[in-house]
Amino acid sequence: MKTSQEVSVKLTIEDIRYARHIDLAALTGFGASDFAAWTKSRGLSERSLNVLAEQLGMEKTDLLKGLELRRQDAALARKVQERIKQLIATEPEKAAS
């Protein structure tokens, strides 16, 4: 683990929001599932959040905002995908054209 003097990464809230979970894992050494599976019911410990924030050169509150935006984006994408799937199932002839 890097010390605070060795931190060269400085990410923003938007970086956390849009980065691929495997890239965040590569930067931090944390598992990709820690970023991909972020939900309200499954999070990271306080200690892990502090370590991540330090590794990414961020304030913990900004890291939490970025992770929350990731969660919201994923929930919205799932909702849209389900709606599209239902539209395709109910109107297959329109979807094919």
Side-chain angles (χ1 to χ4, degrees):
M1 178 188 310
K2 294 181 178 182
T3 65
S4 58
Q5 295 168 331
E6 297 172 335
V7 173
S8 60
V9 175
K10 180 121 175 103
L11 296 184
T12 65
I13 293 169
E14 291 78 19
D15 293 334
I16 298 298
R17 181 179 192 177
Y18 296 116
R20 296 183 316 162
H21 58 282
I22 56 175
D23 293 335
L24 291 171
L27 275 175
T28 63
F30 278 72
S33 64
D34 289 327
F35 300 102
W38 179 267
T39 65
K40 282 191 174 192
S41 62
R42 179 175 180 215
L44 297 168
S45 71
E46 189 76 17
R47 182 175 184 274
S48 293
L49 284 170
N50 289 331
V51 169
L52 273 175
E54 184 177 331
Q55 287 180 327
L56 298 173
M58 302 178 74
E59 294 294 322
K60 186 173 71 171
T61 55
D62 288 344
L63 174 60
L64 285 169
K65 287 176 189 174
L67 291 170
E68 176 59 18
L69 290 170
R70 286 178 71 82
R71 184 198 66 76
Q72 290 174 7
D73 290 347
L76 180 60
R78 283 189 302 274
K79 187 176 180 179
V80 168
Q81 290 165 358
E82 185 58 36
R83 183 169 178 258
I84 297 298
K85 189 189 307 183
Q86 289 173 350
L87 288 172
I88 291 169
T90 58
E91 299 186 33
E93 63 281 350
K94 287 185 182 178
S97 56

